[in-house]
Amino acid sequence: PMRRVPEKFHSSPVLCQSPDRQKKESGVPMADRPFVPANGIPAPGCSPAAPASAAVKRTVLLVAILTGFLTQFDLSAVMIALPSIAAEFPMDAVTLSWVTMGYSLAAVSLLLTVGKIADIYGRKRIYLYGIVIFTIASVGLMLVPDARLLIAARILQGCGAAMLFGTAISRP
């Protein structure tokens, strides 16, 4: 026989209406009226955010532009540095090509997956994780003792780059 679960243990997610839906339903732009959750009960994450100042907006824009530049620049800079990398680590041409391919394959193959994960868990969170992973991999690249760890760090850096590519220019 099935037991009845007490009412206090029922959990139903509180969903907020999107600003577009609220505007369609009321005809009043979002900025001109308070934010209303779908069920009328305020919930964490459903309250309106305080408007960002111009300085904060400029800082966010600068960070987004810099990370977009660095992820692309990193691929090009390593292409130029391949002769020096080959001189430092004893690698043949195929292994040397994995230094650039590891980064590119990781970034491209994870891009759609990371975009979906960002939709689920939040773009800002994934973007910040991407910055952390990209930075840790970049520091690790300076400390690698052999070619295998160099390629592994480049693949990790590509994973961080995918997080940055997929969320840097997304609309909140």
Side-chain angles (χ1 to χ4, degrees), residues 51-69:
S53 68
V56 170
K57 288 180 181 181
R58 280 193 300 266
T59 304
V60 169
L61 179 62
L62 180 65
V63 169
I65 289 170
L66 284 177
T67 55
F69 170 75

Side-chain angles (χ1 to χ4, degrees), residues 102-112 155 157-159 161-163 165:
Y103 179 88
S104 299
L105 285 173
V108 171
S109 63
L110 292 176
L111 190 59
L112 292 175
I155 291 171
Q157 196 177 37
C159 294
M163 293 177 174
F165 287 154

Side-chain angles (χ1 to χ4, degrees), residues 2 9-10 28 32 40 52 58 72 84 89-90 92-93 96 109 127 131 133 140 144 147 160 169:
M2 295 193 43
F9 294 113
H10 287 228
V28 179
D32 298 342
R58 280 193 300 266
Q72 296 298 320
S84 300
F89 300 107
D92 59 347
L96 192 60
S109 63
Y127 185 74
I131 290 174
I133 290 171
V144 293
I169 59 172

Side-chain angles (χ1 to χ4, degrees), residues 8-31:
K8 67 179 179 179
F9 294 113
H10 287 228
S11 63
S12 59
V14 176
L15 301 176
C16 298
Q17 292 179 351
S18 69
D20 294 335
R21 183 174 173 190
Q22 285 185 358
K23 184 176 179 181
K24 276 189 236 173
E25 290 176 357
S26 69
V28 179
M30 232 357 237

Side-chain angles (χ1 to χ4, degrees), residues 142-159:
M142 293 187 291
L143 306 172
V144 293
D146 65 348
R148 282 182 276 183
L149 288 176
L150 177 74
I151 294 168
R154 286 290 289 172
I155 291 171
L156 182 64
Q157 196 177 37
C159 294

Side-chain angles (χ1 to χ4, degrees), residues 73-95:
F73 175 75
D74 191 58
L75 182 61
S76 302
V78 169
M79 295 281 256
I80 294 169
L82 282 178
S84 300
I85 292 171
E88 181 71 27
F89 300 107
M91 288 191 261
D92 59 347
V94 174
T95 308

